[in-house]
Amino acid sequence: VFWKDVYKQSKNKISKGKLEKIYNSGISINKPVLELAKKLKEKGLHLAILSNESGEWMRFKIKKFQLDKVFEKIYCSAVIGIAKPIPKIFVYTLDDLGLQASDVLFIDNHERNVEAARSLGIKSILFKNPKQLKEELTTQIWQQG
């Protein structure tokens, strides 16, 4: 649907498929963070994604970066119908995972999402860069000890 709309509004005659291919080739991921996630999974931690993303783009990212091999569950706000920072999406995710807020560590790059999670008792880290994240994760995991 998205690409059909873009195609209709485009002044240049380019196919929907080519537009999609151009866009998708530019989609990237923070590779150091993905590598860190892989290491955490190897250590036995359970990982999930909670993303404010369109279903189509999330499916593409899952396929392109093989996210389903690293993360046990991937939640997409467009599919659920609720977006971060609305607390209901955190409650939905916790219920689906069968976890209590105190059992989870939430990481996000938006302060409003981190604050919403914290308001529910979920330990949270505001992501700034991979080095900072690794340091804070080490502290959080050590405190769990």
Side-chain angles (χ1 to χ4, degrees), residues 24-143:
N24 290 344
S25 69
I27 292 177
S28 64
I29 195 163
N30 189 316
K31 289 182 183 178
V33 173
L34 182 58
E35 290 305 313
L36 178 58
K38 288 176 182 178
K39 287 178 184 174
L40 293 172
K41 180 183 172 91
E42 288 171 7
K43 291 182 185 254
L45 275 76
H46 300 277
L47 307 174
I49 292 175
L50 175 56
S51 177
N52 282 355
E53 186 78 72
S54 76
E56 181 179 358
W57 291 354
M58 193 72 241
R59 283 187 296 278
F60 180 79
K61 286 180 179 181
I62 291 167
K63 184 177 177 182
K64 182 174 182 176
F65 302 109
Q66 300 182 329
L67 298 177
D68 54 341
K69 292 187 172 151
V70 180
F71 299 91
E72 294 172 36
K73 290 268 190 154
I74 299 173
Y75 298 94
C76 179
S77 63
V79 174
I80 298 169
I82 313 163
K84 299 178 287 182
I86 298 170
K88 190 174 179 181
I89 197 165
F90 296 102
V91 173
Y92 172 90
T93 305
L94 288 170
D95 288 347
D96 188 67
L97 291 169
L99 297 171
Q100 299 295 313
S102 60
D103 297 329
V104 173
L105 176 61
F106 175 72
I107 302 162
D108 200 280
N109 61 335
H110 294 287
E111 181 72 36
R112 65 185 179 272
N113 298 337
V114 168
E115 289 304 319
R118 284 181 181 150
S119 75
L120 296 170
I122 300 170
K123 293 178 287 298
S124 301
I125 295 174
L126 177 62
F127 173 80
K128 297 174 187 161
N129 60 63
K131 182 178 185 238
Q132 163 264 340
L133 176 60
K134 190 171 183 176
E135 289 171 359
E136 288 198 45
L137 278 172
T138 301
T139 301
Q140 287 286 345
I141 293 168
W142 181 78
Q143 287 175 351

